[in-house]
Amino acid sequence: LFGTGGGANDGGANDGGATSASSPSSKSNNGPSGSPSPKKKISFAERKRIETKLQNADKFRQQGKKAMTTGFFTRSDPHLAANNYKKSADMYFQAGQHIMAVQMRRTAASCFVQSGAELSAAMEFMSAGKVAESIGSDESLQIANEMYGSAAELYATVGEAGRGCDAAMRGALSMTAMEEQDKDIKKLICEALEGAVANYVPDPLNRYGTFRSVSTEGTSSPAVTSPSFAHETIAKAMTYFINVGNYRSALHAAGAVSCILEIDADSTISLSRAYAAETVLLLALGDVVAAEKSFNEVHLQRTSYLHSRECKLAEDLIMAIKNFDGEALAEAQNNRVVQNLDPSVKKLVSGIRISGEARRVDGAQKSTNNPAPNASIQLNEALANSTEDDDALMNELDDLQIEDDLGDDFDLR
């Protein structure tokens, strides 16, 4: 996106600055048929304003380059150079040249690092990431993730762990907007999101830390980092994983949300909904045994959850699936409490079946990380525990045999 370079000495922008400034700052201007789209007409005054901005941007860029020049009687001044590059970035952005604005922000950040102002450098990387994210192309979104990642590292260096976690998560979430997501890109997004979640809650402190699907490497943070609204930020990662059908990674994120909310004694309602989300995800994976164990040994130990409506919903879902009771499951899915859950979790509840894992939500592909439950084990449980009559049991058996060929609209009930 920005060519080579990126060091403190103008980041390689001094040679390509003139050509880059005259190029568009976003995607190609070609129309759907490949022919150039008609250019937007601008007034003479607007054109003059843009030219003035570009001239000022080039002037500040040259001043920044001069400040980094070392001579016989002079020495470089990284702090002065960084401020000039910041002014140049502002001018380029106001002129609509977002690519050059990102380049200047990144160069300013490099100069701040050399001058020892790591916090200022982190803020410049954040600004560069925001501008790159606004461009919207797939390549610029990857650049935005790199900028946010650099900011996160610097924030951690100066002791701003919370801001660092937020920066890393924002970078990972920015890549979810990419239009073309092949297998490698999806793996990259998954790894970035899981790593960002682990920055908030290290895997050893997360009940579902082993559910990471890409990497199981631990983090250097010895404790939970919980800046303001951290649980809402992590929930965005959980939503993405649910939408793509990666329920194991979604459970990893859900566990981090619960861990943060457990620290705050006043977050009783949010914690109840987080516990319910854990139960739903375990049921969606087809593991009713783990769902019941977590419900009894962890969730019910919270007095606030014991008396909540979400607790009753989770219990009804677990018992309906344990007893293969389709009517009880339908009643639980239609419970008004479901409407209070996260929209992605709410949609997942409606896809839960008594035969095992949930239907994939709209647009989601079946994840290779979540193997289907063994049909013979389910059949044995049905024979031992089901209170349904013989016809219901035969219907359940038929569903187990042909469920992979059924459409999403099929319902055994």
mmCIF file of all heavy atoms in Angstrom, residues 132-181:
data_model
loop_
_atom_site.group_PDB
_atom_site.id
_atom_site.type_symbol
_atom_site.label_atom_id
_atom_site.label_comp_id
_atom_site.label_asym_id
_atom_site.label_seq_id
_atom_site.Cartn_x
_atom_site.Cartn_y
_atom_site.Cartn_z
ATOM 1 N N ALA A 132 -5.965 4.525 7.939
ATOM 2 C CA ALA A 132 -5.888 3.352 7.060
ATOM 3 C C ALA A 132 -7.189 2.569 7.078
ATOM 4 O O ALA A 132 -7.641 2.067 6.046
ATOM 5 C CB ALA A 132 -4.724 2.459 7.488
ATOM 6 N N GLU A 133 -7.819 2.491 8.243
ATOM 7 C CA GLU A 133 -9.096 1.784 8.353
ATOM 8 C C GLU A 133 -10.184 2.496 7.566
ATOM 9 O O GLU A 133 -11.074 1.859 6.982
ATOM 10 C CB GLU A 133 -9.486 1.673 9.819
ATOM 11 C CG GLU A 133 -10.680 0.778 10.094
ATOM 12 C CD GLU A 133 -10.965 0.629 11.570
ATOM 13 O OE1 GLU A 133 -10.208 1.202 12.389
ATOM 14 O OE2 GLU A 133 -11.957 -0.047 11.921
ATOM 15 N N SER A 134 -10.115 3.823 7.519
ATOM 16 C CA SER A 134 -11.133 4.588 6.795
ATOM 17 C C SER A 134 -11.016 4.424 5.285
ATOM 18 O O SER A 134 -11.985 4.646 4.561
ATOM 19 C CB SER A 134 -11.020 6.073 7.163
ATOM 20 O OG SER A 134 -9.827 6.634 6.642
ATOM 21 N N ILE A 135 -9.836 4.050 4.794
ATOM 22 C CA ILE A 135 -9.673 3.835 3.350
ATOM 23 C C ILE A 135 -10.544 2.686 2.897
ATOM 24 O O ILE A 135 -11.188 2.749 1.844
ATOM 25 C CB ILE A 135 -8.187 3.590 3.006
ATOM 26 C CG1 ILE A 135 -7.367 4.842 3.329
ATOM 27 C CG2 ILE A 135 -8.016 3.213 1.537
ATOM 28 C CD1 ILE A 135 -5.876 4.665 3.128
ATOM 29 N N GLY A 136 -10.583 1.606 3.662
ATOM 30 C CA GLY A 136 -11.555 0.541 3.430
ATOM 31 C C GLY A 136 -11.126 -0.589 2.541
ATOM 32 O O GLY A 136 -11.841 -1.589 2.454
ATOM 33 N N SER A 137 -9.998 -0.513 1.863
ATOM 34 C CA SER A 137 -9.572 -1.622 1.012
ATOM 35 C C SER A 137 -9.003 -2.744 1.878
ATOM 36 O O SER A 137 -8.592 -2.526 3.026
ATOM 37 C CB SER A 137 -8.518 -1.148 0.007
ATOM 38 O OG SER A 137 -7.330 -0.748 0.669
ATOM 39 N N ASP A 138 -8.965 -3.956 1.330
ATOM 40 C CA ASP A 138 -8.466 -5.094 2.098
ATOM 41 C C ASP A 138 -7.015 -4.885 2.524
ATOM 42 O O ASP A 138 -6.620 -5.219 3.641
ATOM 43 C CB ASP A 138 -8.590 -6.378 1.266
ATOM 44 C CG ASP A 138 -10.033 -6.818 1.117
ATOM 45 O OD1 ASP A 138 -10.911 -6.179 1.740
ATOM 46 O OD2 ASP A 138 -10.293 -7.789 0.371
ATOM 47 N N GLU A 139 -6.212 -4.324 1.612
ATOM 48 C CA GLU A 139 -4.804 -4.109 1.933
ATOM 49 C C GLU A 139 -4.644 -3.058 3.022
ATOM 50 O O GLU A 139 -3.828 -3.209 3.934
ATOM 51 C CB GLU A 139 -4.048 -3.678 0.672
ATOM 52 C CG GLU A 139 -2.541 -3.647 0.845
ATOM 53 C CD GLU A 139 -1.816 -3.332 -0.446
ATOM 54 O OE1 GLU A 139 -2.498 -3.103 -1.463
ATOM 55 O OE2 GLU A 139 -0.574 -3.307 -0.428
ATOM 56 N N SER A 140 -5.449 -1.996 2.948
ATOM 57 C CA SER A 140 -5.346 -0.944 3.960
ATOM 58 C C SER A 140 -5.816 -1.444 5.325
ATOM 59 O O SER A 140 -5.318 -0.991 6.359
ATOM 60 C CB SER A 140 -6.160 0.278 3.537
ATOM 61 O OG SER A 140 -7.551 -0.003 3.547
ATOM 62 N N LEU A 141 -6.765 -2.370 5.357
ATOM 63 C CA LEU A 141 -7.225 -2.917 6.626
ATOM 64 C C LEU A 141 -6.132 -3.749 7.290
ATOM 65 O O LEU A 141 -6.003 -3.757 8.522
ATOM 66 C CB LEU A 141 -8.485 -3.753 6.412
ATOM 67 C CG LEU A 141 -9.740 -2.966 6.017
ATOM 68 C CD1 LEU A 141 -10.894 -3.909 5.703
ATOM 69 C CD2 LEU A 141 -10.150 -2.004 7.134
ATOM 70 N N GLN A 142 -5.342 -4.452 6.494
ATOM 71 C CA GLN A 142 -4.203 -5.175 7.060
ATOM 72 C C GLN A 142 -3.157 -4.206 7.593
ATOM 73 O O GLN A 142 -2.552 -4.440 8.645
ATOM 74 C CB GLN A 142 -3.590 -6.095 6.008
ATOM 75 C CG GLN A 142 -4.499 -7.249 5.589
ATOM 76 C CD GLN A 142 -3.781 -8.276 4.744
ATOM 77 O OE1 GLN A 142 -2.750 -8.801 5.121
ATOM 78 N NE2 GLN A 142 -4.324 -8.569 3.571
ATOM 79 N N ILE A 143 -2.950 -3.094 6.859
ATOM 80 C CA ILE A 143 -2.033 -2.068 7.342
ATOM 81 C C ILE A 143 -2.547 -1.486 8.655
ATOM 82 O O ILE A 143 -1.782 -1.234 9.594
ATOM 83 C CB ILE A 143 -1.874 -0.963 6.288
ATOM 84 C CG1 ILE A 143 -1.183 -1.510 5.037
ATOM 85 C CG2 ILE A 143 -1.093 0.218 6.852
ATOM 86 C CD1 ILE A 143 0.238 -1.957 5.259
ATOM 87 N N ALA A 144 -3.865 -1.258 8.740
ATOM 88 C CA ALA A 144 -4.449 -0.732 9.971
ATOM 89 C C ALA A 144 -4.182 -1.669 11.146
ATOM 90 O O ALA A 144 -3.855 -1.218 12.252
ATOM 91 C CB ALA A 144 -5.951 -0.524 9.782
ATOM 92 N N ASN A 145 -4.305 -2.969 10.919
ATOM 93 C CA ASN A 145 -4.032 -3.937 11.977
ATOM 94 C C ASN A 145 -2.582 -3.841 12.439
ATOM 95 O O ASN A 145 -2.291 -3.923 13.638
ATOM 96 C CB ASN A 145 -4.338 -5.349 11.470
ATOM 97 C CG ASN A 145 -4.048 -6.409 12.519
ATOM 98 O OD1 ASN A 145 -4.470 -6.318 13.660
ATOM 99 N ND2 ASN A 145 -3.293 -7.436 12.119
ATOM 100 N N GLU A 146 -1.666 -3.652 11.495
ATOM 101 C CA GLU A 146 -0.254 -3.514 11.862
ATOM 102 C C GLU A 146 -0.015 -2.237 12.671
ATOM 103 O O GLU A 146 0.753 -2.237 13.640
ATOM 104 C CB GLU A 146 0.606 -3.505 10.600
ATOM 105 C CG GLU A 146 0.587 -4.816 9.827
ATOM 106 C CD GLU A 146 1.392 -4.730 8.540
ATOM 107 O OE1 GLU A 146 2.048 -3.683 8.331
ATOM 108 O OE2 GLU A 146 1.358 -5.683 7.757
ATOM 109 N N MET A 147 -0.678 -1.144 12.261
ATOM 110 C CA MET A 147 -0.510 0.113 12.996
ATOM 111 C C MET A 147 -1.052 -0.007 14.420
ATOM 112 O O MET A 147 -0.418 0.421 15.383
ATOM 113 C CB MET A 147 -1.239 1.247 12.266
ATOM 114 C CG MET A 147 -0.696 1.569 10.873
ATOM 115 S SD MET A 147 0.985 2.191 10.857
ATOM 116 C CE MET A 147 1.880 0.712 10.360
ATOM 117 N N TYR A 148 -2.233 -0.592 14.550
ATOM 118 C CA TYR A 148 -2.809 -0.788 15.885
ATOM 119 C C TYR A 148 -1.936 -1.712 16.727
ATOM 120 O O TYR A 148 -1.789 -1.521 17.934
ATOM 121 C CB TYR A 148 -4.218 -1.360 15.769
ATOM 122 C CG TYR A 148 -5.257 -0.382 15.269
ATOM 123 C CD1 TYR A 148 -6.142 -0.722 14.255
ATOM 124 C CD2 TYR A 148 -5.362 0.891 15.808
ATOM 125 C CE1 TYR A 148 -7.101 0.164 13.792
ATOM 126 C CE2 TYR A 148 -6.316 1.789 15.352
ATOM 127 C CZ TYR A 148 -7.184 1.417 14.346
ATOM 128 O OH TYR A 148 -8.126 2.306 13.899
ATOM 129 N N GLY A 149 -1.363 -2.729 16.085
ATOM 130 C CA GLY A 149 -0.484 -3.639 16.815
ATOM 131 C C GLY A 149 0.760 -2.943 17.327
ATOM 132 O O GLY A 149 1.206 -3.189 18.462
ATOM 133 N N SER A 150 1.330 -2.061 16.504
ATOM 134 C CA SER A 150 2.497 -1.292 16.952
ATOM 135 C C SER A 150 2.128 -0.384 18.115
ATOM 136 O O SER A 150 2.898 -0.233 19.076
ATOM 137 C CB SER A 150 3.055 -0.465 15.784
ATOM 138 O OG SER A 150 3.477 -1.301 14.721
ATOM 139 N N ALA A 151 0.940 0.224 18.034
ATOM 140 C CA ALA A 151 0.483 1.078 19.129
ATOM 141 C C ALA A 151 0.301 0.266 20.411
ATOM 142 O O ALA A 151 0.654 0.729 21.510
ATOM 143 C CB ALA A 151 -0.830 1.762 18.744
ATOM 144 N N ALA A 152 -0.241 -0.944 20.291
ATOM 145 C CA ALA A 152 -0.455 -1.793 21.464
ATOM 146 C C ALA A 152 0.864 -2.129 22.151
ATOM 147 O O ALA A 152 0.962 -2.108 23.388
ATOM 148 C CB ALA A 152 -1.184 -3.073 21.058
ATOM 149 N N GLU A 153 1.892 -2.426 21.368
ATOM 150 C CA GLU A 153 3.196 -2.744 21.946
ATOM 151 C C GLU A 153 3.770 -1.549 22.699
ATOM 152 O O GLU A 153 4.349 -1.699 23.784
ATOM 153 C CB GLU A 153 4.150 -3.191 20.842
ATOM 154 C CG GLU A 153 3.762 -4.515 20.181
ATOM 155 C CD GLU A 153 4.685 -4.881 19.047
ATOM 156 O OE1 GLU A 153 5.632 -4.096 18.782
ATOM 157 O OE2 GLU A 153 4.477 -5.938 18.417
ATOM 158 N N LEU A 154 3.628 -0.351 22.119
ATOM 159 C CA LEU A 154 4.163 0.838 22.778
ATOM 160 C C LEU A 154 3.371 1.182 24.033
ATOM 161 O O LEU A 154 3.947 1.600 25.043
ATOM 162 C CB LEU A 154 4.152 2.017 21.803
ATOM 163 C CG LEU A 154 5.180 1.927 20.667
ATOM 164 C CD1 LEU A 154 4.958 3.039 19.650
ATOM 165 C CD2 LEU A 154 6.604 1.997 21.220
ATOM 166 N N TYR A 155 2.055 1.012 23.972
ATOM 167 C CA TYR A 155 1.246 1.259 25.173
ATOM 168 C C TYR A 155 1.670 0.333 26.310
ATOM 169 O O TYR A 155 1.733 0.748 27.479
ATOM 170 C CB TYR A 155 -0.237 1.057 24.862
ATOM 171 C CG TYR A 155 -0.912 2.260 24.232
ATOM 172 C CD1 TYR A 155 -1.741 2.115 23.121
ATOM 173 C CD2 TYR A 155 -0.738 3.535 24.762
ATOM 174 C CE1 TYR A 155 -2.363 3.218 22.546
ATOM 175 C CE2 TYR A 155 -1.357 4.639 24.191
ATOM 176 C CZ TYR A 155 -2.178 4.474 23.087
ATOM 177 O OH TYR A 155 -2.793 5.555 22.531
ATOM 178 N N ALA A 156 1.938 -0.925 25.976
ATOM 179 C CA ALA A 156 2.380 -1.867 27.005
ATOM 180 C C ALA A 156 3.735 -1.451 27.575
ATOM 181 O O ALA A 156 3.997 -1.630 28.767
ATOM 182 C CB ALA A 156 2.456 -3.272 26.421
ATOM 183 N N THR A 157 4.582 -0.855 26.723
ATOM 184 C CA THR A 157 5.906 -0.432 27.167
ATOM 185 C C THR A 157 5.824 0.679 28.212
ATOM 186 O O THR A 157 6.605 0.700 29.169
ATOM 187 C CB THR A 157 6.740 0.046 25.966
ATOM 188 O OG1 THR A 157 6.862 -1.022 25.021
ATOM 189 C CG2 THR A 157 8.129 0.478 26.403
ATOM 190 N N VAL A 158 4.871 1.593 28.021
ATOM 191 C CA VAL A 158 4.759 2.742 28.945
ATOM 192 C C VAL A 158 3.786 2.475 30.082
ATOM 193 O O VAL A 158 3.426 3.382 30.823
ATOM 194 C CB VAL A 158 4.320 4.005 28.163
ATOM 195 C CG1 VAL A 158 5.355 4.374 27.132
ATOM 196 C CG2 VAL A 158 2.947 3.813 27.514
ATOM 197 N N GLY A 159 3.317 1.236 30.217
ATOM 198 C CA GLY A 159 2.451 0.881 31.336
ATOM 199 C C GLY A 159 0.979 1.121 31.112
ATOM 200 O O GLY A 159 0.198 1.073 32.066
ATOM 201 N N GLU A 160 0.570 1.390 29.878
ATOM 202 C CA GLU A 160 -0.852 1.586 29.556
ATOM 203 C C GLU A 160 -1.414 0.275 28.998
ATOM 204 O O GLU A 160 -1.743 0.163 27.813
ATOM 205 C CB GLU A 160 -1.003 2.720 28.535
ATOM 206 C CG GLU A 160 -0.615 4.079 29.061
ATOM 207 C CD GLU A 160 -1.681 4.678 29.964
ATOM 208 O OE1 GLU A 160 -2.791 4.124 30.022
ATOM 209 O OE2 GLU A 160 -1.411 5.712 30.604
ATOM 210 N N ALA A 161 -1.526 -0.724 29.875
ATOM 211 C CA ALA A 161 -1.939 -2.056 29.416
ATOM 212 C C ALA A 161 -3.362 -2.046 28.867
ATOM 213 O O ALA A 161 -3.657 -2.712 27.868
ATOM 214 C CB ALA A 161 -1.824 -3.057 30.563
ATOM 215 N N GLY A 162 -4.247 -1.302 29.519
ATOM 216 C CA GLY A 162 -5.632 -1.262 29.061
ATOM 217 C C GLY A 162 -5.769 -0.685 27.672
ATOM 218 O O GLY A 162 -6.459 -1.243 26.814
ATOM 219 N N ARG A 163 -5.106 0.431 27.415
ATOM 220 C CA ARG A 163 -5.157 1.041 26.088
ATOM 221 C C ARG A 163 -4.486 0.143 25.055
ATOM 222 O O ARG A 163 -4.889 0.103 23.887
ATOM 223 C CB ARG A 163 -4.489 2.417 26.129
ATOM 224 C CG ARG A 163 -5.187 3.400 27.042
ATOM 225 C CD ARG A 163 -4.410 4.695 27.220
ATOM 226 N NE ARG A 163 -4.447 5.518 26.015
ATOM 227 C CZ ARG A 163 -3.884 6.727 25.943
ATOM 228 N NH1 ARG A 163 -3.254 7.235 27.005
ATOM 229 N NH2 ARG A 163 -3.958 7.423 24.824
ATOM 230 N N GLY A 164 -3.464 -0.589 25.490
ATOM 231 C CA GLY A 164 -2.812 -1.520 24.583
ATOM 232 C C GLY A 164 -3.728 -2.659 24.166
ATOM 233 O O GLY A 164 -3.765 -3.055 22.999
ATOM 234 N N CYS A 165 -4.478 -3.175 25.125
ATOM 235 C CA CYS A 165 -5.435 -4.246 24.816
ATOM 236 C C CYS A 165 -6.508 -3.757 23.849
ATOM 237 O O CYS A 165 -6.876 -4.451 22.899
ATOM 238 C CB CYS A 165 -6.076 -4.763 26.100
ATOM 239 S SG CYS A 165 -4.966 -5.663 27.190
ATOM 240 N N ASP A 166 -7.011 -2.553 24.106
ATOM 241 C CA ASP A 166 -8.038 -1.998 23.221
ATOM 242 C C ASP A 166 -7.502 -1.780 21.815
ATOM 243 O O ASP A 166 -8.209 -2.004 20.822
ATOM 244 C CB ASP A 166 -8.557 -0.674 23.788
ATOM 245 C CG ASP A 166 -9.387 -0.856 25.048
ATOM 246 O OD1 ASP A 166 -9.880 -1.988 25.271
ATOM 247 O OD2 ASP A 166 -9.549 0.122 25.809
ATOM 248 N N ALA A 167 -6.245 -1.339 21.702
ATOM 249 C CA ALA A 167 -5.645 -1.114 20.388
ATOM 250 C C ALA A 167 -5.489 -2.423 19.621
ATOM 251 O O ALA A 167 -5.789 -2.500 18.427
ATOM 252 C CB ALA A 167 -4.284 -0.424 20.545
ATOM 253 N N ALA A 168 -5.006 -3.471 20.309
ATOM 254 C CA ALA A 168 -4.838 -4.758 19.646
ATOM 255 C C ALA A 168 -6.174 -5.333 19.189
ATOM 256 O O ALA A 168 -6.292 -5.874 18.084
ATOM 257 C CB ALA A 168 -4.138 -5.742 20.588
ATOM 258 N N MET A 169 -7.213 -5.187 20.024
ATOM 259 C CA MET A 169 -8.532 -5.687 19.647
ATOM 260 C C MET A 169 -9.106 -4.892 18.477
ATOM 261 O O MET A 169 -9.720 -5.458 17.573
ATOM 262 C CB MET A 169 -9.466 -5.623 20.849
ATOM 263 C CG MET A 169 -10.888 -6.108 20.564
ATOM 264 S SD MET A 169 -10.952 -7.837 20.021
ATOM 265 C CE MET A 169 -10.709 -8.668 21.598
ATOM 266 N N ARG A 170 -8.905 -3.585 18.482
ATOM 267 C CA ARG A 170 -9.415 -2.781 17.373
ATOM 268 C C ARG A 170 -8.746 -3.172 16.060
ATOM 269 O O ARG A 170 -9.391 -3.217 15.015
ATOM 270 C CB ARG A 170 -9.191 -1.294 17.663
ATOM 271 C CG ARG A 170 -9.665 -0.383 16.539
ATOM 272 C CD ARG A 170 -9.843 1.041 16.980
ATOM 273 N NE ARG A 170 -10.394 1.844 15.887
ATOM 274 C CZ ARG A 170 -10.843 3.080 16.015
ATOM 275 N NH1 ARG A 170 -10.789 3.670 17.199
ATOM 276 N NH2 ARG A 170 -11.317 3.742 14.979
ATOM 277 N N GLY A 171 -7.443 -3.443 16.115
ATOM 278 C CA GLY A 171 -6.757 -3.875 14.907
ATOM 279 C C GLY A 171 -7.284 -5.201 14.389
ATOM 280 O O GLY A 171 -7.478 -5.379 13.178
ATOM 281 N N ALA A 172 -7.511 -6.136 15.299
ATOM 282 C CA ALA A 172 -8.031 -7.437 14.883
ATOM 283 C C ALA A 172 -9.442 -7.315 14.320
ATOM 284 O O ALA A 172 -9.778 -7.936 13.301
ATOM 285 C CB ALA A 172 -8.014 -8.410 16.059
ATOM 286 N N LEU A 173 -10.272 -6.498 14.965
ATOM 287 C CA LEU A 173 -11.647 -6.328 14.488
ATOM 288 C C LEU A 173 -11.693 -5.599 13.150
ATOM 289 O O LEU A 173 -12.623 -5.809 12.361
ATOM 290 C CB LEU A 173 -12.460 -5.555 15.524
ATOM 291 C CG LEU A 173 -12.791 -6.298 16.821
ATOM 292 C CD1 LEU A 173 -13.439 -5.360 17.827
ATOM 293 C CD2 LEU A 173 -13.707 -7.481 16.544
ATOM 294 N N SER A 174 -10.712 -4.743 12.880
ATOM 295 C CA SER A 174 -10.720 -4.016 11.610
ATOM 296 C C SER A 174 -10.595 -4.971 10.423
ATOM 297 O O SER A 174 -11.167 -4.721 9.358
ATOM 298 C CB SER A 174 -9.578 -2.993 11.583
ATOM 299 O OG SER A 174 -8.307 -3.630 11.575
ATOM 300 N N MET A 175 -9.872 -6.080 10.609
ATOM 301 C CA MET A 175 -9.700 -7.019 9.501
ATOM 302 C C MET A 175 -10.964 -7.826 9.209
ATOM 303 O O MET A 175 -11.086 -8.411 8.132
ATOM 304 C CB MET A 175 -8.537 -7.971 9.791
ATOM 305 C CG MET A 175 -7.178 -7.305 9.782
ATOM 306 S SD MET A 175 -5.825 -8.500 9.670
ATOM 307 C CE MET A 175 -6.084 -9.431 11.166
ATOM 308 N N THR A 176 -11.902 -7.860 10.142
ATOM 309 C CA THR A 176 -13.140 -8.603 9.891
ATOM 310 C C THR A 176 -13.987 -7.940 8.812
ATOM 311 O O THR A 176 -14.923 -8.557 8.300
ATOM 312 C CB THR A 176 -13.975 -8.717 11.182
ATOM 313 O OG1 THR A 176 -14.352 -7.401 11.629
ATOM 314 C CG2 THR A 176 -13.170 -9.399 12.280
ATOM 315 N N ALA A 177 -13.678 -6.687 8.467
ATOM 316 C CA ALA A 177 -14.424 -5.984 7.421
ATOM 317 C C ALA A 177 -13.878 -6.259 6.030
ATOM 318 O O ALA A 177 -14.406 -5.730 5.043
ATOM 319 C CB ALA A 177 -14.412 -4.483 7.691
ATOM 320 N N MET A 178 -12.841 -7.078 5.911
ATOM 321 C CA MET A 178 -12.254 -7.372 4.598
ATOM 322 C C MET A 178 -13.261 -8.108 3.724
ATOM 323 O O MET A 178 -13.964 -9.012 4.186
ATOM 324 C CB MET A 178 -10.979 -8.194 4.774
ATOM 325 C CG MET A 178 -9.880 -7.457 5.515
ATOM 326 S SD MET A 178 -8.418 -8.480 5.826
ATOM 327 C CE MET A 178 -7.898 -8.830 4.137
ATOM 328 N N GLU A 179 -13.328 -7.738 2.455
ATOM 329 C CA GLU A 179 -14.298 -8.331 1.538
ATOM 330 C C GLU A 179 -13.878 -9.727 1.098
ATOM 331 O O GLU A 179 -14.700 -10.634 1.024
ATOM 332 C CB GLU A 179 -14.482 -7.417 0.321
ATOM 333 C CG GLU A 179 -15.087 -6.062 0.656
ATOM 334 C CD GLU A 179 -15.244 -5.185 -0.567
ATOM 335 O OE1 GLU A 179 -14.817 -5.627 -1.661
ATOM 336 O OE2 GLU A 179 -15.796 -4.075 -0.450
ATOM 337 N N GLU A 180 -12.604 -9.915 0.780
ATOM 338 C CA GLU A 180 -12.107 -11.214 0.316
ATOM 339 C C GLU A 180 -11.373 -11.895 1.465
ATOM 340 O O GLU A 180 -10.269 -11.490 1.835
ATOM 341 C CB GLU A 180 -11.184 -11.035 -0.888
ATOM 342 C CG GLU A 180 -11.875 -10.433 -2.111
ATOM 343 C CD GLU A 180 -10.944 -10.328 -3.294
ATOM 344 O OE1 GLU A 180 -9.783 -10.800 -3.170
ATOM 345 O OE2 GLU A 180 -11.354 -9.783 -4.337
ATOM 346 N N GLN A 181 -12.002 -12.914 2.024
ATOM 347 C CA GLN A 181 -11.431 -13.640 3.149
ATOM 348 C C GLN A 181 -11.240 -15.104 2.762
ATOM 349 O O GLN A 181 -12.151 -15.910 2.876
ATOM 350 C CB GLN A 181 -12.329 -13.521 4.380
ATOM 351 C CG GLN A 181 -12.489 -12.112 4.913
ATOM 352 C CD GLN A 181 -13.257 -12.055 6.226
ATOM 353 O OE1 GLN A 181 -13.495 -13.085 6.860
ATOM 354 N NE2 GLN A 181 -13.654 -10.870 6.636
#
